[in-house]
Amino acid sequence: MSDKTVLITDSASAKTSTLPLVSGNMGEPAVDIGKLHKDLGYFTFDPGFVSTASTRSAITFIDGDKGVLLYRGYPIEQLAKQSSFLEVAYLLINGELPTSAQFGAFEDEVTHHTMMQESLKNFLHGFHYDAHPMAMLCGAVASLSAFYHDTLDISDPEQRRLAAIRLIAKVPTIAAAAYRYSIDWPIRYPRNNLEYCTRFLHMMFEVPSEPLQLNPVVAKALDLLFILHADHEQNASTSTVRLVGSTGANPYACVAAGIAALWGPAHGGANEAVLKMLADIGDAKNVGKAVEKAKDKNSGFRLMGFGHRVYKNFDPRATIIRETCHQVLAALGVNDPLLDVALELEQVALKDPYFIERKLYPNVDFYSGIIYKALKIPTEMFTVMFAIARTAGWVAHWLEQHQDKDTKIGRPRQIYTGATTRDYTPITKR
Ligand code: SDX
């Protein structure tokens, strides 16, 4: 809490309210409006929470103007180059990078929680073969609480920690099983002798009839994408996890709610929507038309993978993914014409005053789908990839929330625009 304040004066009554400023270690301060209603009788109104901080957090810091992203103080560029997804998951949860002994114990514990209950297979088989994998993942993760009656006491730190481990460990297994069901292949059980991303890829692609030949470039590229998608402070799905968590709901219900929120095309669903958009544009020569359509408010069309609530500069993750695109496609000998469309689209949009004035830049979703496609991940699994990675951030925020003494149930107010009080009219008189 800082000792600085702001003075608000109500021009109608000349009453004033002195409100304290709240500051963190980095970033802009906020006005604590806790006593505004008592002093002046007013609430605040901020649809979409554009200018509203919902909590304190020590996990991730974003400077949207400078295009800075830090996980527990470490720049995303350094973690992308030097870390691994599982080490980043440890960092997000525990606040510090692990020693090799700590990482070994963490990796061993995650590895030995990767199996999903056999009866979950029947649950997945209850879906139609063409069910969207995000629907299957959301339902299956929510159902996990049905298997852990003995460890759902969220007041017990050890049970909270174990739930976090189980979620990080099992979400990839469930995700791969959903995919295998959609192509009518038998599921592959997690292999404990493989590292996290390689294990996932084996569960996704290994066929019963022959061992999977996996190019190491594929697992490394996936690990990088998982690092970049692991957390992003109070984004819509993380805020959803926190809101559900504020009611005391179990962690599996909280993460299932986060998966549901992530699915929206304005959020994590954008990576799937970008590939569809690039395919619809089809050729670099059609890019100009697409940009004009995106500027036309009546078209209802937006450039998917462009714009961001916080970044008013390049999303640093998009910069890393764009560079990785070229490396991965070259290493795999893939020539994807959609990459040319994306590069042309970026060039045209970034020179257009509409996008410049609104500070609309490519975000994390703009290029990620091109890499996923090169890794032979099917388009409808792109947002599932995002969910696997973001599970680390979601559980880190859920754990942080339960250690925060300021946590209370989330319950926003509203501006009522409905009918004023009126008497009931019997149906005979309507
Ligand atoms: C993610 O929050 C996070 O951190 C999310 C995320 C994470 O890691 O968790 O970073 C992941 O969700 C990235 C965003 C993926 N979504 C998309 O790519 C969908 C396309 N983008 C937009 O729908 C939009 O940019 C949002 C949702 C990302 C941000 O929306 P805002 O902050 O509410 O901005 P806005 O809708 O108020 O737009 C401001 C202006 C508007 O024009 P004006 O009314 O001022 O004239 O910019 C325009 C919008 O019409 N605009 C776009 C646009 N995005 C915004 N115009 C065309 N194409 C776009 N993509």
Side-chain angles (χ1 to χ4, degrees), residues 22 27 40 159 308 331 353 400:
V22 181
L40 300 184
Q159 292 186 40
H308 198 277
E400 181 181 64

Side-chain angles (χ1 to χ4, degrees), residues 289-307:
K289 215 165 25 178
V291 168
E292 288 311 308
K293 192 174 159 195
K295 292 157 57 178
D296 172 9
K297 292 273 182 275
N298 301 319
S299 72
F301 170 74
R302 285 190 167 189
L303 288 190
M304 301 316 282
F306 253 80

Side-chain angles (χ1 to χ4, degrees), residues 232 235 265-268 270 294 297 302-309 317 354-355 358 360 363-365 386 390:
H232 216 236
N235 59 86
H267 190 15
K297 292 273 182 275
R302 285 190 167 189
L303 288 190
M304 301 316 282
F306 253 80
H308 198 277
R309 172 63 57 76
R317 303 167 297 177
Y354 174 95
F355 291 84
R358 292 167 178 80
L360 302 175
N363 58 49
V364 67
D365 294 306
F386 199 146
R390 190 54 56 90

Side-chain angles (χ1 to χ4, degrees), residues 388-409:
I388 292 172
R390 190 54 56 90
T391 295
W394 288 333
V395 299
H397 281 270
W398 180 75
L399 291 169
E400 181 181 64
Q401 168 182 49
H402 283 285
Q403 291 154 349
D404 182 349
K405 62 177 179 24
D406 290 342
T407 294
K408 55 175 65 177
I409 189 167

Side-chain angles (χ1 to χ4, degrees), residues 24-273:
N25 298 339
M26 296 174 77
E28 297 159 283
V31 177
D32 179 341
I33 57 166
K35 65 193 201 60
L36 179 65
H37 187 253
K38 182 166 69 62
D39 290 355
L40 300 184
Y42 298 128
F43 293 119
T44 55
F45 180 55
D46 183 18
F49 311 114
V50 175
S51 307
T52 297
S54 58
T55 184
R56 288 185 174 86
S57 177
I59 298 173
T60 291
F61 175 74
I62 300 172
D63 181 327
D65 292 332
K66 300 195 184 87
V68 168
L69 170 58
L70 310 176
Y71 289 167
R72 297 287 188 177
Y74 294 99
I76 192 67
E77 294 81 2
Q78 294 183 26
L79 293 169
K81 275 204 178 67
Q82 303 175 59
S83 188
S84 68
F85 170 68
L86 213 49
E87 183 180 73
V88 163
Y90 180 100
L91 171 66
L92 291 171
I93 289 172
N94 296 291
E96 298 296 336
L97 288 168
T99 62
S100 52
Q102 287 167 330
F103 180 71
F106 179 72
E107 182 176 39
D108 186 64
E109 194 173 15
V110 167
T111 298
H112 290 90
H113 280 282
T114 50
M115 289 276 287
M116 73 179 196
Q117 288 72 9
E118 199 62 8
S119 48
L120 253 184
K121 272 197 314 188
N122 308 331
F123 181 92
L124 291 176
H125 290 182
F127 287 91
H128 256 216
Y129 72 92
D130 58 354
H132 195 289
M134 281 295 277
M136 298 172 82
L137 183 68
C138 189
V141 168
S143 75
L144 284 177
S145 56
F147 296 91
Y148 299 114
H149 305 291
D150 57 338
T151 50
L152 282 182
D153 174 3
I154 60 171
S155 66
D156 176 356
E158 176 47 26
Q159 292 186 40
R160 293 201 300 263
R161 188 196 67 81
L162 179 55
I165 293 286
R166 280 176 165 149
L167 281 158
I168 290 172
K170 291 183 199 301
V171 165
T173 306
I174 296 170
Y179 169 63
R180 301 284 288 206
Y181 176 66
S182 72
I183 57 173
D184 200 18
W185 279 13
I187 72 163
R188 308 309 291 160
Y189 290 101
R191 289 174 45 182
N192 292 348
N193 63 325
L194 299 174
E195 62 79 31
Y196 194 87
C197 287
T198 307
R199 177 166 60 231
F200 170 69
L201 290 165
H202 268 254
M203 290 189 285
M204 280 283 287
F205 298 124
E206 194 175 37
V207 296
S209 41
E210 59 190 47
L212 179 68
Q213 301 300 330
L214 193 59
N215 183 330
V217 167
V218 176
K220 186 157 175 35
L222 190 60
D223 193 85
L224 170 65
L225 287 169
F226 281 178
I227 289 174
L228 297 176
H229 286 81
D231 192 53
H232 216 236
E233 57 139 275
Q234 304 308 318
N235 59 86
S237 53
T238 301
S239 296
T240 301
V241 169
R242 281 179 169 263
L243 184 60
V244 177
S246 74
T247 71
N250 72 71
Y252 308 102
C254 295
V255 168
I259 292 169
L262 186 74
W263 196 0
H267 190 15
N271 57 15
E272 184 177 346

